[in-house]
Amino acid sequence: MDDEPIVRWYWIGDHLGYLGDLLADHAVIALLPVLIGLLLAVPLGLVCTRYPRLYQPFAAVFNVVYALPSVAVFVLLIPYTGLATQATVMIPLTFYAVAVLLPTTVDGLRAVPEPVRQAATAMGYGPWHRLTAVELPAAVPYLVAGLRVAAVSSISLASVGALIGRGGLGYLFIDGFQRTFPTPIVAGIVLIAALALAVDLLLLGARRLLAPWAVREKGAAR
């Protein structure tokens, strides 16, 4: 197989539909846990901001989970969530996302100056209104920074799920390795990198839309 080229373009052309299906499956498996992780991290971050003593225990638990090898966690979940299911891959990825997003959420909420909170209260803002109108918008740059890291990590880790039968584009790595055929491997690498780049650019665009002042401040600092 020494004469095998790195890429056989005809194979890619013949399998565009297959590659598209794998890409869509990979996007769901990788990005839905990030969204769920955000929905979990924000309320946890709020609790940790209100009760600072809880932050370290919460962070320690999620850091321990984040340090666990993903393949080992997948195997442990198989008896409960089944082999080759989305849940088996997505549950660990959700915990990994929370481990990344919890610190950035807490940092963002803590970054709101106390005089700003007091001014909002003096203007008649209740706790919920102050949270949605002042504190969360001010934390957006921190949240987006965490989302960028969590999303790229999840897109990369999702491919490992192919080892237990559900890994989106990770199938291409196993297929190429088993057949000593590098074209699927190259296609998988390119598609994962393209997905990660597209998501990262979308998040940057969201930050510009939701927190334009942060972009202006960054430009002024330069």
Side-chain angles (χ1 to χ4, degrees), residues 46 49-50 105 107-114 116-118 120-121 125-143 213:
L46 290 170
T49 303
R50 299 293 186 268
T105 302
D107 289 344
L109 293 171
R110 287 177 176 175
V112 180
E114 187 59 31
V116 174
R117 289 192 176 95
Q118 293 174 357
T121 302
Y125 285 29
W128 178 251
H129 191 191
R130 187 182 67 188
L131 173 65
T132 56
V134 177
E135 296 176 354
L136 284 179
V140 163
Y142 294 84
L143 289 172
W213 66 87

Side-chain angles (χ1 to χ4, degrees), residues 24-39:
D25 189 46
H26 195 99
V28 172
I29 293 173
L31 298 179
L32 188 56
V34 177
L35 177 59
I36 297 172
L38 177 65
L39 296 177

Side-chain angles (χ1 to χ4, degrees), residues 210-222:
L210 298 174
W213 66 87
V215 178
R216 289 195 296 266
E217 289 176 358
K218 186 176 180 181
R222 291 179 180 176

Side-chain angles (χ1 to χ4, degrees), residues 76-154:
L76 289 174
L77 285 174
I78 286 174
Y80 307 99
T81 56
L83 181 67
T85 64
Q86 286 187 337
T88 302
V89 179
M90 291 169 59
I91 289 174
L93 293 182
T94 300
F95 278 94
Y96 296 158
V98 175
V100 173
L101 292 169
L102 179 59
T104 57
T105 302
V106 172
D107 289 344
L109 293 171
R110 287 177 176 175
V112 180
E114 187 59 31
V116 174
R117 289 192 176 95
Q118 293 174 357
T121 302
M123 292 172 63
Y125 285 29
W128 178 251
H129 191 191
R130 187 182 67 188
L131 173 65
T132 56
V134 177
E135 296 176 354
L136 284 179
V140 163
Y142 294 84
L143 289 172
V144 172
L147 282 171
R148 292 175 67 190
V149 175
V152 171
S153 299
S154 188

Side-chain angles (χ1 to χ4, degrees), residues 42-92:
V42 170
L44 282 176
L46 290 170
V47 171
C48 292
T49 303
R50 299 293 186 268
Y51 306 98
R53 291 184 179 179
L54 295 177
Y55 176 55
Q56 290 303 327
F58 274 126
V61 169
F62 284 106
N63 285 337
V64 168
V65 173
Y66 193 77
L68 297 175
S70 55
V71 175
V73 180
F74 294 157
V75 172
L76 289 174
L77 285 174
I78 286 174
Y80 307 99
T81 56
L83 181 67
T85 64
Q86 286 187 337
T88 302
V89 179
M90 291 169 59
I91 289 174

